Amino acid sequence: MLKLLEGIKILDLTRLLPGPLCTLYLAELGAEVIKIEPPEGDYVRYIPPKAKKNSYIFLQLNHNKKNKTFDLKDPEHRKEFLALVKDAQVVVESFRPGVTKSLGIDFEALKNINPSLVYCSITGYGQSGPYRDFAGHDINYLATSGILEQMGNLANFQIADLAGGSLSACVGILAALLDSQKNKRAHFIDVSMLDCVMGLNHVALAGYQSGRIDIPLGEDLLSGGFPFYGLFTTKDGRQFALGALEVKFWKNFCEATNKTEWIKWHSEPQRNYPRFKSEIAGLFLTRTMREWEDLLKDKECCGSSVLKFSEALMDPQVKSRQMLKEHQTPEDGPFKSYKFPIIIE
């Protein structure tokens, strides 16, 4: 992997998930990341399941970083931290608004030390607005953005934390860093996880503008209303995902299943959709999940087995891309993490 950020030093004051994943990616790209923890450590160190000493999630998110412990309320520790700022290019923090100012490490204070510093603040609601001081987690940002109501249930995947926090912060840092290196000026990046996850919700906004407001769960096109795009139970009680949004994919599905008389359904009125969906559901009950996978894998109809996580790790495509890396540490022994998922040549 090319070390495109070699020579960039990043001071990571974040904890838990969004900030550490952001700086993990930057470290994978070649940056030197110094993870700065309070004396009690990052909270995620103690979240089970644990290896010998630390949690697996902590190891996965922080294995390629250097570590320092500072109590930033202590003047001597703060002085040591400020000395690091002089030679750093980026500071990332995830305190609530106002905390860094009270510690004397806010953007204005650090900009005086390093006039070309990129300073990124990741918070739930941003640096302004009536919610800026509210506590929150992924569930809260999804709830307030209108996304959770559309999902209908919780998943073991932190959409607002990761897409709204980690990845959005990465984009902002890399853009600001490019300008900072070029023009020698400082930048403050205000990442609100609510803002950033809401900014991904384009399909719902398009529906809203067309007058399709607050469609009940399961009736909007992509949440179950479109019969050619959805989850279907199979003969063995598993599920199969069909994504035949375009007519060409639906045609291929119909031909593969000897249901050519169904091809015309794709252009028929929406009032017929419930009947179509019922008949498609009945068809999927005639084969097991793996039988459907074997039948449709080369038929160009956007069909996929709904895999359990353990199955996904063993999937031929995932294995061929070598998504898992093995690590060994003296403190915790062996563990696995993901490789940086983007290939840059």
Side-chain angles (χ1 to χ4, degrees):
M1 168 106 192
L2 295 175
K3 300 298 183 183
L4 301 177
L5 296 182
E6 193 167 14
I8 299 297
K9 182 184 290 186
I10 297 172
L11 305 181
D12 179 8
L13 292 163
T14 67
R15 307 176 195 179
L16 297 173
L17 178 60
L21 181 64
C22 168
T23 57
L24 172 80
Y25 280 171
L26 298 173
E28 294 282 82
L29 287 167
E32 176 191 2
V33 176
I34 302 173
K35 182 176 178 64
I36 295 169
E37 298 181 67
E40 66 272 19
D42 186 339
Y43 309 133
V44 85
R45 282 184 182 270
Y46 314 110
I47 295 176
K50 294 182 72 173
K52 293 178 181 178
K53 181 178 180 182
N54 297 292
S55 71
Y56 282 111
I57 187 70
F58 177 85
L59 296 172
Q60 290 161 208
L61 293 172
N62 298 289
H63 63 85
N64 57 359
K65 304 171 188 178
K66 298 177 180 178
N67 285 79
K68 285 189 177 292
T69 300
F70 287 141
D71 179 357
L72 293 171
K73 295 177 182 177
D74 181 295
E76 288 302 313
H77 283 209
R78 185 163 57 250
K79 185 177 178 181
E80 288 183 58
F81 170 73
L82 295 177
L84 291 176
V85 171
K86 292 180 182 179
D87 298 321
Q89 284 73 44
V90 181
V91 169
V92 190
E93 59 90 6
S94 57
F95 296 105
R96 288 203 219 178
V99 171
T100 56
K101 187 173 180 61
S102 70
L103 293 172
I105 60 166
D106 59 312
F107 173 62
E108 292 301 324
L110 300 195
K111 183 174 69 169
N112 290 332
I113 297 171
N114 186 337
S116 59
L117 184 69
V118 171
Y119 189 110
C120 179
S121 292
I122 304 172
T123 60
Y125 300 102
Q127 301 296 311
S128 61
Y131 297 173
R132 58 163 263 165
D133 296 319
F134 283 12
H137 277 301
D138 187 81
I139 188 173
N140 307 111
Y141 317 135
L142 291 177
T144 304
S145 67
I147 292 174
L148 188 56
E149 194 275 339
Q150 294 174 61
M151 291 167 57
N153 210 335
L154 288 175
N156 189 29
F157 182 80
Q158 296 74 33
I159 300 171
D161 282 355
L162 302 174
S166 307
L167 299 183
S168 299
C170 266
V171 171
I173 289 168
L174 291 173
L177 190 57
L178 184 65
D179 181 75
S180 175
Q181 296 286 290
K182 182 178 171 183
N183 296 309
K184 306 300 179 188
R185 59 187 171 193
H187 290 282
F188 178 75
I189 303 166
D190 176 3
V191 175
S192 155
M193 286 184 273
L194 172 61
D195 289 0
C196 293
V197 76
M198 194 159 191
L200 299 174
N201 202 5
H202 289 281
V203 173
L205 180 59
Y208 179 86
Q209 294 187 87
S210 70
R212 301 180 76 246
I213 300 171
D214 298 334
I215 307 300
L217 181 67
E219 294 182 19
D220 206 355
L221 292 184
L222 298 186
S223 66
F226 196 52
F228 322 110
Y229 185 98
L231 301 179
F232 296 93
T233 302
T234 58
K235 186 178 181 179
D236 55 346
R238 299 292 298 272
Q239 287 192 308
F240 197 85
L242 181 65
L245 280 175
E246 298 91 337
V247 67
K248 63 180 181 180
F249 296 133
W250 174 243
K251 180 175 180 290
N252 291 341
F253 173 81
C254 293
E255 290 174 347
T257 55
N258 296 315
K259 294 288 185 180
T260 53
E261 70 276 15
W262 287 7
I263 294 173
K264 62 183 180 182
W265 287 1
H266 208 282
S267 58
E268 291 200 12
Q270 290 188 20
R271 64 176 179 272
N272 295 329
Y273 282 2
R275 177 172 62 85
F276 296 163
K277 188 168 184 179
S278 176
E279 294 205 38
I280 297 166
L283 178 64
F284 271 98
L285 287 170
T286 63
R287 289 181 171 89
T288 67
M289 181 188 77
R290 292 300 184 183
E291 287 171 343
W292 278 110
E293 183 179 299
D294 291 340
L295 176 67
L296 300 177
K297 63 184 176 183
D298 59 352
K299 298 300 191 298
E300 288 286 311
C301 65
C302 302
S304 306
S305 294
V306 177
L307 301 180
K308 298 175 183 178
F309 182 68
S310 59
E311 295 171 330
L313 291 177
M314 295 296 107
D315 184 80
Q317 178 66 20
V318 174
K319 291 180 73 174
S320 73
R321 301 282 286 185
Q322 299 178 318
M323 275 300 297
L324 285 184
K325 295 192 303 185
E326 300 275 352
H327 300 274
Q328 180 78 33
T329 67
E331 282 187 326
D332 289 285
F335 71 95
K336 294 180 175 69
S337 73
Y338 295 117
K339 71 166 189 177
F340 184 69
I342 303 169
I343 296 174
I344 303 174
E345 298 178 346

